[in-house]
């Protein structure tokens, strides 16, 4: 019905043409109610009971009890170590469900921020306890674990399913180029330190002060390059990542009709795989916040037990940081990457492995350097010479293997072998 306050003209809109504009409060209430999305009960039922690994959450309160009761170092380390595994998966689940409800750009930024949340939390916890070596080795270990162990196992798994797998070369090379830049930024501080240690002029602090200046300036530049890479990946050159399957089919005209039929079948699988989120957006955001806080406490307990565990059981601290901690932080990514490779989704596998390594090398490490700068902890990009060499040869091998856009089980074996050689070297170091 019309009244005195009813406008004569309706702005050119017909009945039902446009929805009524909601106020901010109404939009917030609508988001909390999660209309058209899974209910809060269904969301958390899936979140807590959707995976068998969640039974390991029992170790989270055990780690707190062990820490505050000052139990044996091995028990404190083991409980915290095991407890972080399901927490890492829950962080990934919450992030994935939030990403499904957001736009592409926001989803990309969210994955960039929380894609390696466990590494960030463990790194900050170690930094606040002034465990600089644990910070450096855990970050480097995460990179090597993704580049060598996870990518190698993925190539092996795909090689057992089919003689050869293909992936989009241009996108993979863009990622590997940024990985190479990150590698060079670790080589330069090592070269600087090696040069300055042979020059005896002035006090010893001169070299350390120079390393801090180089590291902090490089960290700022790396963060800028990483943001530019996100823009490249999500906006300016998103077609390299969104239409890689179509490009592959156009580029493989010499293959048989059977292989093109397999390619179209795979396209249908990709289209079918656009699943709806299992959680509504507010419940996923709340879960992400709560699990992040719990993980930070668990990481504190883990870092606090490393020193005593290493001394009592004669385990090198570098081995713990380089090999053991990344296995915990990347457990969920390991399984996902191998599973995607077996389903012939090699682009996704490359994105998980190389992309995660890029996040750590070009985002997490510079971020920790800047956090250390703010909090007065002198974290630099100068790693030990041996660690820098291991990183360099790993990036070199990965770049060599992915430059042809093809993979097989032999390439996977090469990557895994190099990882175990490095692990053995750090065990005896």
């Amino acid at each position: 019905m019309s009244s005195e306050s009813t406008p004569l003209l309706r702005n050119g809109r017909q009945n039902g043409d446009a929805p009524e504009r909601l106020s901010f409060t109404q939009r917030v209430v609508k988001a909390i109610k999660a209309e058209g999305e899974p209910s809060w009960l269904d969301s958390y039922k899936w979140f807590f009971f959707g995976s068998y690994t969640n039974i390991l959450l029992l170790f989270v309160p055990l780690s707190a009890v062990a820490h505050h009761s000052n139990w044996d170092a091995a028990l404190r380390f083991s409980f915290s170590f095991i407890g972080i595994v399901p927490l890492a998966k829950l962080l990934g689940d919450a992030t994935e469900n939030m990403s499904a409800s957001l736009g592409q750009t926001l989803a990309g930024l969210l994955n960039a921020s929380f894609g390696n949340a466990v590494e960030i939390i463990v790194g900050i916890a170690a930094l606040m306890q002034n465990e600089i070596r644990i910070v450096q080795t855990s970050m480097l270990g995460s990179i090597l674990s993704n580049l060598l162990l996870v990518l190698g196992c993925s190539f092996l798994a795909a090689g057992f399913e089919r003689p050869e797998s293909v992936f989009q070369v241009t996108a993979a090379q863009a990622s590997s180029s940024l990985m190479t830049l990150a590698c060079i930024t670790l080589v330069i501080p090592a070269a600087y330190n090696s040069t300055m240690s042979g020059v005896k002029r002035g006090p010893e602090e001169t070299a350390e002060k120079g390393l801090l200046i180089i590291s902090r300036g490089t960290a700022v530049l790396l963060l800028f390059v990483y943001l530019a890479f996100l823009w490249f990946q999500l906006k300016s050159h998103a077609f390299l990542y969104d239409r890689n399957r179509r490009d592959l089919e156009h580029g493989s005209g010499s293959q048989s009709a059977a292989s093109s039929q397999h390619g179209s079948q795979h396209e249908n699988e990709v289209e079918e795989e656009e699943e709806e989120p299992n959680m509504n957006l507010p419940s996923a955001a709340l879960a992400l916040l709560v699990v992040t806080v719990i993980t930070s406490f668990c990481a504190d307990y883990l870092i606090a037990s490393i020193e005593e565990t290493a001394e009592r059981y004669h385990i090198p601290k570098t081995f713990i940081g380089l090999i053991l901690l990344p296995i915990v932080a990347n457990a969920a990514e390991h399984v996902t990457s191998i599973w995607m490779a077996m389903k012939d989704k090699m682009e996704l596998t490359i994105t998980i492995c190389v992309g995660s390594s890029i996040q750590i090398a070009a985002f997490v490490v510079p971020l920790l350097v800047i956090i250390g700068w703010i909090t007065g902890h002198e974290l630099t990009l100068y790693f030990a010479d041996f660690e820098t060499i291991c990183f360099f040869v790993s990036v070199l091998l990965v770049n060599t293997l992915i430059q042809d856009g093809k993979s097989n089980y032999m390439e996977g074996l090469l990557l895994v072998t190099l990882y175990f050689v490095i692990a053995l070297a750090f065990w005896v170091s």
Side-chain angles (χ1 to χ4, degrees), residues 101-252:
S101 302
L102 301 171
Q104 183 186 14
T105 303
L106 287 176
L109 292 175
L110 185 70
N111 283 317
S113 303
F114 288 95
N116 289 288
V118 175
E119 285 90 343
I120 296 174
I121 293 169
V122 170
I124 293 176
L127 189 62
M128 293 302 105
Q129 298 183 33
N130 210 31
E131 293 282 357
I132 302 298
R133 290 295 297 144
I134 292 296
V135 177
Q136 292 182 324
T137 54
S138 63
M139 293 302 108
L140 181 61
S142 294
I143 297 171
L144 296 181
S145 173
N146 282 302
L147 282 182
L148 300 179
L149 181 63
V150 185
L151 188 60
C153 289
S154 300
F155 282 178
L156 274 173
F160 291 139
E161 294 290 326
R162 62 198 66 82
E164 193 173 67
S165 300
V166 293
F167 48 88
Q168 220 280 339
V169 184
T170 309
Q173 286 183 341
S175 300
S176 65
S177 299
L178 182 53
M179 195 71 246
T180 304
L181 173 64
C183 176
I184 294 171
T185 61
L186 295 188
V187 173
I188 291 175
Y192 173 83
N193 184 75
S194 178
T195 303
M196 291 302 294
S197 61
V199 179
K200 295 183 179 179
R201 36 173 134 144
E204 285 184 7
E205 288 108 14
T206 305
E208 295 176 4
K209 192 178 293 184
L211 280 174
L212 280 173
I213 295 173
I214 292 173
S215 299
R216 290 165 179 174
T218 303
V220 173
L221 292 173
L222 273 179
L223 285 176
F224 172 76
V225 171
Y226 182 70
L227 291 176
F229 178 70
L230 283 181
W231 180 264
F232 176 88
Q233 195 175 29
L234 299 174
K235 283 292 183 181
S236 66
H237 287 68
F239 61 91
L240 293 177
Y241 301 87
D242 293 339
R243 294 184 292 197
N244 39 33
R245 275 293 165 191
R246 192 182 304 172
D247 292 341
L248 275 174
E249 288 182 5
H250 289 318
S252 56

Side-chain angles (χ1 to χ4, degrees), residues 2 16 86-88 123 142 160 165 192 229 269 300 330 376 393 408 415:
S2 59
L87 291 174
S142 294
F160 291 139
S165 300
Y192 173 83
F229 178 70
E269 289 177 2
D300 270 331
N330 297 321
V393 297
N408 51 59
L415 292 170

Side-chain angles (χ1 to χ4, degrees), residues 320-331:
I320 293 175
L322 197 85
I323 305 299
L324 297 184
L325 294 185
I327 290 176
V328 175
N330 297 321

Side-chain angles (χ1 to χ4, degrees), residues 77 81 133-134 137-138 141 306 310 314-327 387 419-429:
F77 179 83
F81 186 88
R133 290 295 297 144
I134 292 296
T137 54
S138 63
I306 287 178
H314 307 290
I315 304 175
K317 284 179 67 175
T318 52
F319 184 84
I320 293 175
L322 197 85
I323 305 299
L324 297 184
L325 294 185
I327 290 176
E387 295 165 11
Y419 182 79
F420 283 118
V421 169
I422 292 174
L424 179 63
F426 276 97
W427 175 260
V428 300
S429 66

